[in-house]
Amino acid sequence: HWKWICLWQKPAHNSHAVGYHFMMGILDDVLMELQDCALPLLKDVIVTDKEDVAFKDLDVAILVGSMPRRKGMERKDLLKANYPDVNHAKVKLQGRKVGVYEALKNDSWLKEEFITLVQQRGADIIKAGKLSGATPAVKAITDHVRDIWFGTPEGEIVSMGVISDGNSYHISDDLLYSFPVILENKTWKFIEGLPINDFSHEKMDFTAKELAEEKKNCF
């Protein structure tokens, strides 16, 4: 089991990386790779296993902790009911923004094969490389930090895992669940009242049920 906490400090653009003492060798490797990148906005990287050093004068803390999944390992099959909902997604097609359903004109594929493809993507990556992929997680983290720090652009809605208390989509309170939100001044706000069809409601309820079961198993 390992834990790597990435911590960002501005305006000097320092990065702190903290881990268990037996992980210092791996963090040293990360330090060398960051140095080799010669990133123009990165002034310094501090590698430490001391929390008082790592958490001093921080603006952003990113905590990533888990055992990398290997072939055959499961986490409730990574919540099998978790599914992609593209009802409100837009794509550019011939110079204009259109809904995904309109663009593809293949409802059955989006409701069946596409969902299975996304659900099994992690397993496919493990099958190919024997470990779970890190790049999608890194992309999600950077997108979230950007939106939290700078806010969402005018008219843009993002999906973010937030506490479910007070939502209008009939998801039980006290769950970390992905909702449509906007962010301003480092504060998120639900986008209320998006139309949800019966198919999506069924999938959302199933996902919420599994999250509640996982919460019960953990606590």
Side-chain angles (χ1 to χ4, degrees):
H1 185 80
W2 62 275
K3 180 179 290 185
W4 177 23
I5 310 177
C6 181
L7 309 141
W8 178 48
Q9 179 186 47
K10 77 166 186 70
H13 300 290
N14 293 338
S15 179
H16 299 189
V18 59
Y20 297 127
H21 67 279
F22 54 83
M23 296 299 296
M24 286 298 98
I26 291 178
L27 290 183
D28 286 338
D29 289 344
V30 173
L31 170 62
M32 294 170 66
E33 291 187 26
L34 289 172
Q35 290 171 334
D36 291 346
C37 288
L39 299 167
L41 296 180
L42 183 61
K43 179 181 178 182
D44 193 16
V45 179
I46 299 170
V47 173
T48 181
D49 59 357
K50 305 293 190 298
E51 293 181 1
D52 57 338
V53 174
F55 285 90
K56 184 179 180 182
D57 300 326
L58 293 180
D59 296 287
V60 175
I62 303 168
L63 283 71
V64 183
S66 69
M67 164 107 47
R69 289 188 304 123
R70 290 179 169 80
K71 189 175 181 180
M73 296 175 66
E74 297 182 353
R75 174 183 165 265
K76 188 72 173 180
D77 286 334
L78 271 188
L79 294 177
K80 285 183 178 178
N82 203 12
Y83 87 107
D85 185 353
V86 298
N87 278 292
H88 300 284
K90 304 286 186 182
V91 295
K92 285 188 176 180
L93 182 65
Q94 298 177 347
R96 65 188 185 95
K97 284 188 176 182
V98 298
V100 170
Y101 276 92
E102 180 185 348
L104 289 181
K105 294 181 171 58
N106 192 339
D107 291 14
S108 61
W109 184 82
L110 285 169
K111 291 181 177 180
E112 296 173 10
E113 185 178 345
F114 174 63
I115 292 176
T116 301
L117 178 69
V118 173
Q119 288 175 338
Q120 296 180 354
R121 187 63 172 174
D124 290 340
I125 291 173
I126 292 173
K127 183 178 180 181
K130 311 306 178 187
L131 291 173
S132 55
T135 304
V138 171
K139 178 63 166 59
I141 289 169
T142 55
D143 286 350
H144 273 45
V145 171
R146 179 200 62 213
D147 291 335
I148 292 170
W149 195 257
F150 297 106
T152 45
E154 183 72 25
E156 184 172 311
I157 300 172
V158 298
S159 295
M160 187 171 289
V162 298
I163 195 70
S164 59
D165 296 6
N167 76 89
S168 64
Y169 295 98
H170 308 293
I171 302 300
S172 300
D173 287 349
D174 203 29
L175 293 176
L176 281 174
Y177 195 97
S178 181
F179 289 99
V181 300
I182 58 173
L183 295 106
E184 185 177 5
N185 298 323
K186 301 180 180 64
T187 302
W188 58 266
K189 178 182 178 182
F190 289 125
I191 293 297
E192 307 286 5
L194 289 180
I196 306 295
N197 60 31
D198 291 342
F199 176 80
S200 292
H201 260 306
E202 180 183 353
K203 296 295 184 180
M204 290 171 65
D205 290 345
F206 196 27
T207 297
K209 181 181 178 182
E210 282 215 330
L211 285 170
E213 290 176 355
E214 186 175 76
K215 175 186 170 185
K216 183 178 179 180
N217 290 336
C218 290
F219 298 103

